[in-house]
């Protein structure tokens, strides 16, 4: 035990705090005002050693790189290696996004963070009637292996790590297969590839739902197929990034964000163990994607609490022994939902504060939003400004000089403990429902997110939550001070490529490739084992998705 304070000192501090509080309450102007975090956790006017007197330093905090990893997953943290600058990019046809990737890499980005358009994310070809209006919007359009070749043309994918924002498993099972197949065709062994895929079944079934959804159990199977495949053949790849960021963008609170990603990770771990894998064979490559929202200290506490919760679950529930299995590693994106279309240059300041919370919380990689993201796809200037913000934070502010600088703050430690309590309570409820897949099928997850989103929006509209430019300090007759990005022509380009590929490909080979996928479904085998080869026959993403939907059927999300 390494208790920090003696009982007599704590009693005296508690007594004097009560006296101080009585004096302050008598003169406080805001006696009726409620102080709480963005997620509703109460906040006291001051914190003292009495608030953390029960804590055992070595067991509850420890040192960086040591259990329970609250103070960071690496012994030297940013003194040894700073976070990866991974700016999100993707729009239009792959030819245009390839130019943006090269631009960001030339300007100092240290990894690729590729986002895909709405049809690609949902498993549709660009020419599908459900998809045509959204082609090239919100990301890059990928229909075939040829598009993947163009997207990474001239980029050393055996040296640069790539994050594929393949949110939905129905997208990931094909697009990630195309990435691997493209590497094989460039004679790059799969074990040389580094990167991350998002591959989160909650994205498909609860967050960014679309027509003709796969049922939750099927989407979850596809997600686990990709994890299993990478564990066997692509050992340096993170095959899943539990997308808490997107849950938060949909309206979750901070404790819900952490609880839902960890519940998802628990379910994946149980499934992969059922398939015969040992926990330490795949857990080191489970990664997390979290948001950095407006409440600075709550975000720092969230990251610290998440690491402690993950450590205890991996160690006590699954018996993991590999230290990398015990450490929660995460990428952070600054909160897009916190940006405003009004006075958009204010978003540079917002995103910088968001990113600082991620740094002080110990993130492994960070994307900073462009100031125009509430209005459009980021322009080149907006993307460059975001990258420079990341670089200024890393190189000029000296926040990297010491590890976990807010550790030991009575407030931050108390908030970390409260965040842990709230998250564990939610995890207990999900366990009682039989796990995250069952909780999704019943609509409980949808209802929880909806309730939180409604509360957040009400607070803004009532003025209880101040947002500069929205409900205070508004500017009448504001003139937009930035140029808006115009998406390049995409549909015609993708349509022409699809017509050409379909007319030139070997039709019996296509039929055989799709039959192989159906047979794999019937035999309940790992689908990625088959699809990595199927895409080489120039099968399109839509054809693969339709084959899966024909076999498994589709699902309507719960109405609430």
């Amino acid at each position: 035990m390494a208790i920090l304070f003696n009982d007599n000192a704590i009693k005296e501090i508690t007594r004097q705090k009560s006296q101080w509080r009585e004096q302050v309450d008598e003169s406080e102007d805001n006696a009726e005002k409620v102080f709480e975090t963005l997620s509703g956790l109460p906040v006291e006017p001051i914190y003292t050693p009495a608030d953390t007197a029960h804590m055992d330093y070595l067991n509850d905090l420890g040192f960086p790189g040591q259990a329970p990893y609250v103070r960071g997953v690496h012994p030297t943290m940013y003194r040894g290696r700073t976070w990866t600058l991974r700016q999100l990019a993707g729009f239009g046809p792959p030819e245009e996004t390839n130019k943006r990737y090269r631009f960001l890499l030339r300007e100092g980005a240290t990894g690729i963070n590729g986002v895909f358009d709405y049809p690609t994310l949902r498993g549709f070809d660009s020419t599908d009637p459900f998809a045509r209006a959204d082609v090239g919007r919100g990301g890059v359009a990928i229909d075939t292996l040829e598009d993947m070749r163009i997207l990474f043309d001239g980029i050393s994918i055996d040296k640069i790590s790539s994050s594929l924002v393949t949110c939905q498993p129905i997208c990931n099972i094909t697009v990630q297969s195309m990435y691997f197949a493209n590497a094989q065709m460039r004679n790059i062994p799969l074990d040389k590839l580094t990167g991350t895929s998002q591959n989160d079944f909650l994205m498909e079934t609860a967050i960014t739902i679309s027509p003709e959804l796969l049922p939750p159990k099927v989407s979850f199977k596809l997600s686990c197929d990709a994890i299993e495949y990478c564990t066997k053949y692509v050992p340096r790849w993170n095959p899943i990034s539990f997308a808490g960021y997107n849950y938060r963008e949909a309206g979750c609170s901070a404790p819900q964000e952490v609880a839902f990603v960890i519940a998802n990770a628990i379910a994946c771990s149980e499934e992969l163990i059922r398939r015969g894998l040992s926990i330490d064979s795949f857990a080191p490559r489970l990664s997390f994607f979290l948001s950095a929202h407006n409440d600075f200290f709550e975000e720092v506490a969230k990251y610290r609490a998440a690491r402690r919760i993950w450590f205890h679950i991996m160690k006590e529930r699954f018996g993991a022994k590999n230290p990398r299995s015990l450490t929660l590693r995460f990428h952070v994106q600054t909160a897009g939902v916190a940006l405003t279309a009004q006075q958009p240059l204010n978003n540079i300041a917002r995103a910088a504060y968001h990113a600082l919370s991620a740094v002080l919380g110990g993130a492994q990689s960070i994307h900073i939003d462009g100031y125009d993201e509430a209005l459009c796809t980021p322009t080149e200037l907006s993307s460059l400004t975001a990258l420079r913000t990341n670089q200024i934070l890393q190189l000029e502010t000296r926040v990297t000089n010491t590890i976990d600088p807010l550790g030991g703050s009575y407030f931050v430690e108390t908030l970390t403990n409260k965040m842990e309590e709230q998250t564990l309570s939610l995890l207990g409820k999900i366990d009682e429902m039989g796990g995250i897949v069952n909780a999704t099928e019943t609509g409980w997850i949808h209802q929880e997110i909806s309730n939180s989103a409604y509360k957040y929006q009400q607070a803004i509209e009532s003025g209880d939550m101040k947002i500069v430019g929205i409900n205070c300090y508004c500017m009448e007759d504001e003139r937009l001070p930035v140029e808006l990005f115009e998406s390049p022509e995409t549909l015609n380009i993708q349509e022409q490529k699809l017509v050409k590929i379909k007319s030139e490909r070997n039709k019996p080979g296509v039929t055989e490739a799709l039959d192989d996928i159906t047979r794999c479904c019937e035999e309940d085998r790992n689908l990625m084992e088959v699809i990595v080869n199927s895409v080489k026959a120039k099968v399109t993403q839509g054809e693969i998705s339709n084959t899966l939907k024909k076999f498994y059927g589709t699902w309507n999300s719960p109405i609430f």
Side-chain angles (χ1 to χ4, degrees):
M1 294 284 284
I3 300 297
L4 298 177
F5 309 105
N6 69 60
D7 290 343
N8 290 336
I10 292 299
K11 286 178 183 175
E12 181 59 19
I13 290 169
T14 302
R15 187 186 68 77
Q16 293 203 25
K17 181 183 175 183
S18 295
Q19 290 181 345
W20 173 85
R21 187 64 189 266
E22 288 174 3
Q23 294 168 358
V24 171
D25 283 347
E26 289 174 357
S27 59
E28 197 165 27
D29 294 330
N30 294 318
E32 301 299 321
K33 188 172 180 181
V34 175
F35 291 88
E36 59 184 21
T37 68
L38 191 60
S39 298
L41 298 175
V43 176
E44 294 293 316
I46 193 170
Y47 290 82
T48 72
D51 294 291
T52 56
H54 63 287
M55 293 186 71
D56 177 339
Y57 181 85
L58 294 178
N59 287 318
D60 295 330
L61 295 175
F63 290 92
Q66 295 181 14
Y69 302 100
V70 175
R71 308 205 67 182
V73 297
H74 300 301
T76 58
M77 285 302 289
Y78 304 139
R79 290 168 66 102
R81 178 183 175 183
T82 53
W83 63 92
T84 302
L85 307 180
R86 198 184 291 281
Q87 290 299 120
L88 200 65
F91 55 85
E95 291 84 349
E96 296 297 325
T97 292
N98 175 266
K99 294 176 188 173
R100 181 64 67 86
Y101 286 174
R102 291 173 179 236
F103 168 76
L104 289 170
L105 291 171
R106 276 198 312 273
E107 294 298 330
T110 51
I112 287 173
N113 196 3
V115 64
F116 301 92
D117 70 357
Y118 305 128
T120 303
L121 289 175
R122 291 161 173 79
F124 295 104
D125 282 346
S126 297
T127 51
D128 192 290
F130 275 131
R132 295 173 67 89
D134 287 328
V135 175
R137 297 184 182 279
V140 58
I142 298 293
D143 293 316
T144 65
L145 178 58
E146 173 63 9
D147 287 331
M148 187 61 74
R149 185 195 67 75
I150 295 168
L151 184 63
F152 287 94
D153 186 37
I155 296 173
S156 303
I157 57 174
D158 53 339
K159 297 182 174 64
I160 294 288
S161 74
S162 301
S163 173
L164 305 179
V165 188
T166 46
C167 311
Q168 286 88 333
I170 195 170
C171 161
N172 181 72
I173 199 79
T174 300
V175 172
Q176 188 177 3
S177 293
M178 290 178 182
Y179 187 88
F180 293 160
N182 182 47
Q184 289 174 332
M185 294 175 77
R186 289 172 59 173
N187 295 318
I188 298 172
L190 296 186
D191 61 7
K192 299 293 183 189
L193 298 177
T194 59
T196 302
S197 302
Q198 205 163 86
N199 184 33
D200 182 332
F201 95 100
L202 274 184
M203 287 295 297
E204 187 161 324
T205 56
I207 307 298
T208 56
I209 56 178
S210 66
E212 300 182 343
L213 291 176
L214 287 176
K217 280 190 172 64
V218 177
S219 180
F220 180 71
K221 170 198 160 32
L222 300 188
S223 176
C224 291
D225 281 358
I227 301 172
E228 184 181 26
Y229 181 89
C230 291
T231 301
K232 292 178 179 176
Y233 306 111
V234 203
R236 300 171 68 197
W237 193 272
N238 301 318
I240 190 166
S241 181
F242 300 100
Y245 172 85
N246 298 86
Y247 311 168
R248 194 75 182 278
E249 291 284 289
C252 276
S253 66
Q256 287 172 328
E257 177 188 356
V258 176
F260 294 171
V261 292
I262 290 182
N264 199 342
I266 289 171
C268 288
S269 299
E270 290 174 344
E271 169 61 16
L272 291 161
I273 290 170
R274 187 192 69 77
R275 294 184 184 195
L277 299 181
S278 70
I279 186 72
D280 285 322
S281 69
F282 62 84
R285 287 292 170 187
L286 301 179
S287 65
F288 296 80
F289 175 29
L290 301 177
S291 173
H293 214 295
N294 281 345
D295 193 320
F296 185 87
F297 292 107
E298 181 174 72
E299 294 304 293
V300 173
K302 177 185 75 180
Y303 306 128
R304 301 172 87 249
R307 282 194 292 267
R308 186 158 62 206
I309 294 167
W310 182 247
F311 163 74
H312 285 296
I313 287 174
M314 280 290 106
K315 183 177 176 59
E316 295 158 15
R317 183 164 178 159
F318 292 105
K321 294 182 173 57
N322 185 337
R324 282 185 61 86
S325 302
L326 303 170
T327 55
L328 184 142
R329 296 165 296 110
F330 60 96
H331 168 71
V332 167
Q333 181 171 339
T334 57
V337 73
L339 305 183
T340 64
Q342 296 80 0
Q343 304 175 45
L345 293 179
N346 294 344
N347 294 328
I348 298 173
R350 287 192 179 96
Y353 291 133
H354 296 165
L356 181 59
S357 73
V359 171
L360 299 185
Q364 277 59 67
S365 69
I366 297 173
H367 161 90
I368 293 181
D369 287 340
Y371 55 74
D372 53 1
E373 289 195 30
L375 294 159
C376 60
T377 297
T379 61
E380 193 169 281
L381 177 60
S382 168
S383 296
L384 184 61
T385 303
L387 177 61
R388 293 290 184 252
T389 304
N390 222 332
Q391 290 163 334
I392 290 166
L393 190 55
Q394 195 171 86
L395 300 172
E396 298 182 13
T397 63
R398 304 196 181 205
V399 292
T400 58
N401 280 0
T402 194
I403 304 166
D404 189 29
L406 295 180
S409 154
Y410 309 127
F411 175 43
V412 171
E413 296 301 351
T414 302
L415 206 50
T416 300
N417 295 340
K418 286 183 178 177
M419 189 67 63
E420 183 180 25
E421 290 170 13
Q422 292 268 321
T423 303
L424 289 174
S425 174
L426 286 164
L427 283 169
K429 289 181 183 177
I430 294 169
D431 269 346
E432 288 173 5
M433 285 182 274
I436 194 76
V437 179
N438 286 351
T440 304
E441 287 179 329
T442 62
W444 182 84
I445 292 287
H446 305 72
Q447 191 68 60
E448 284 286 297
I449 296 173
S450 176
N451 290 344
S452 293
Y454 182 67
K455 185 178 177 184
Y456 179 83
Q457 190 61 32
Q458 268 194 321
I460 294 175
E461 294 184 10
S462 68
D464 289 342
M465 185 189 302
K466 299 297 183 191
I467 305 292
V468 173
I470 298 295
N471 56 19
C472 62
Y473 304 108
C474 300
M475 295 174 67
E476 293 185 4
D477 302 323
E478 178 189 359
R479 296 183 64 182
L480 199 61
V482 297
E483 291 184 3
L484 299 183
F485 182 84
E486 293 186 11
S487 294
E489 171 56 44
T490 308
L491 179 57
N492 286 338
I493 294 172
Q494 292 303 108
E495 198 163 29
Q496 288 173 19
K497 281 193 287 189
L498 278 170
V499 168
K500 185 172 186 294
I501 285 172
K502 287 185 177 181
S503 67
E504 294 177 349
R505 66 186 181 179
N506 181 308
K507 290 183 175 54
V510 170
T511 301
E512 184 179 351
L514 293 174
D515 287 346
D516 285 346
I517 293 172
T518 300
R519 196 174 308 111
C520 187
C521 294
E522 291 168 347
E523 296 171 357
D524 195 24
R525 291 187 285 114
N526 187 308
L527 279 156
M528 188 165 268
E529 298 260 7
V530 173
I531 295 176
V532 169
N533 287 324
S534 298
V535 296
K536 294 174 184 172
K538 301 182 180 178
V539 174
T540 71
Q541 185 188 206
E543 289 169 334
I544 293 173
S545 298
N546 289 336
T547 301
L548 297 176
K549 289 173 186 175
K550 184 177 179 183
F551 181 84
Y552 291 115
T554 57
W555 179 71
N556 294 320
S557 65
I559 298 173
F560 44 86

